[in-house]
Amino acid sequence: MKTLTLTRHALLACAVTLLVGCGSSAADTTALSTTAAAASVVDAATASTTDADDATTGVADDTTTITTPSTTTTLTADETATLLFVREEEKLARDVYLTLFNKWGTKTFQNIALNSEQQHMDVMGTLVATYNLQDPVVIDTIGAFTDPVLLGLYQDLVMRGSTSLNDGLHVGGFIEEFDINDLQEAIDEANAGSKPADIIAAYTNLMCGSRNHLRSFVGQIEKNGVDYQAQVIPQATVDAIVNSPEEQCGK
């Protein structure tokens, strides 16, 4: 992405005032960040929890098929940076949701983290290996990140999401809106560059998954009697997504 470095720093500054007017007009926001979380999150995420309000979580099958790239496909420097960033971006979503599940016990966080974000991480990891790139996910520990911007944002998101369950659900909405915006930029960049079909397909399916996750978080928020306000992408886009049916991604 042409503005990746600048927008990362802008988002990190924005994260300090997360969910208080920082995002709804930021149509080109781009970045995520992390640091350390308790190892007990992983154990807690596998525990059995009953939550009637989480019967549906908006996690459709978003399987992504990876195809072998042509031997002539060479990614541009921007495409390479974006691919590596998206790999850790998916880890950020997983780690935040597992941490918030550990805090609140709401299975929406657990289901999206383990049934979707983990798969997204794995898909991006396969692409990193396919293109012989150095994987930024050196340690798969909750809260461990190579990108310092993602490291810092992880802390901000967890802190905000730990204030109340409603704030936690809004953090989920923020992450998914951010991903939708970021992935669209990634798709546009790839289409304008080397046109790697496997990477474009992966980004497309990840964005489909993010739309489903946004539907889930907004549904939970509004079930609690709160009107959801867009945080990153335009309100009209959010409304169009949440008012449309859940998608079967990768089909």
Side-chain angles (χ1 to χ4, degrees):
M1 301 169 202
K2 297 179 180 61
T3 59
L4 186 59
T5 301
L6 291 176
T7 51
R8 279 184 184 176
H9 288 89
L11 184 58
L12 182 56
C14 181
V16 177
T17 53
L18 181 64
L19 306 183
V20 284
C22 183
S24 59
S25 64
D28 61 349
T29 308
T30 322
L32 289 170
S33 184
T34 166
T35 183
S40 61
V41 172
V42 176
D43 295 331
T46 59
S48 174
T49 302
T50 301
D51 190 337
D53 288 339
D54 290 329
T56 57
T57 61
V59 182
D61 180 3
D62 47 5
T63 302
T64 302
T65 301
I66 299 295
T67 56
T68 302
S70 165
T71 55
T72 60
T73 301
T74 301
L75 301 182
T76 67
D78 284 343
E79 290 167 351
T80 297
T82 296
L83 175 58
L84 296 176
F85 182 74
V86 173
R87 164 76 162 146
E88 279 204 293
E89 185 177 50
E90 297 303 321
K91 184 180 188 298
L92 174 79
R94 186 202 67 177
D95 289 3
V96 170
Y97 296 158
L98 287 179
T99 305
L100 293 181
F101 170 71
N102 190 53
K103 173 70 177 179
W104 302 113
T106 299
K107 292 190 74 176
T108 299
F109 295 119
Q110 181 193 42
N111 291 341
I112 292 177
L114 299 183
N115 296 340
S116 233
E117 302 298 356
Q118 181 62 61
Q119 182 187 62
H120 293 178
M121 271 187 68
D122 294 343
V123 165
M124 298 315 298
T126 298
L127 286 169
V128 167
T130 297
Y131 284 88
N132 297 312
L133 303 176
Q134 183 173 351
D135 193 350
V137 180
V138 180
I139 303 174
D140 194 28
T141 303
I142 302 296
F145 295 85
T146 298
D147 189 315
V149 176
L150 291 173
L151 178 63
L153 188 56
Y154 169 82
Q155 289 180 308
D156 291 330
L157 292 170
V158 168
M159 181 172 16
R160 179 66 184 185
S162 298
T163 304
S164 69
L165 175 57
N166 183 60
D167 284 328
L169 294 169
H170 274 82
V171 163
F174 173 87
I175 289 174
E176 300 306 335
E177 284 191 53
F178 176 83
D179 282 358
I180 290 167
N181 182 76
D182 195 46
L183 288 164
Q184 184 59 63
E185 289 188 357
I187 291 168
D188 292 344
E189 176 186 81
N191 279 324
S194 63
K195 298 179 176 60
D198 52 342
I199 293 178
I200 292 170
Y203 290 159
T204 300
N205 285 311
L206 264 58
M207 186 161 63
C208 176
S210 288
R211 290 194 295 270
N212 281 337
H213 303 163
L214 182 61
R215 292 181 179 104
S216 179
F217 285 122
V218 173
Q220 289 290 310
I221 290 166
E222 295 189 340
K223 188 181 296 184
N224 294 334
V226 178
D227 290 333
Y228 183 80
Q229 300 297 316
Q231 303 173 75
V232 178
I233 59 180
Q235 185 69 50
T237 303
V238 170
D239 292 342
I241 291 170
V242 300
N243 291 324
S244 59
E246 183 177 277
E247 300 166 73
Q248 294 296 317
C249 307
K251 300 298 185 181

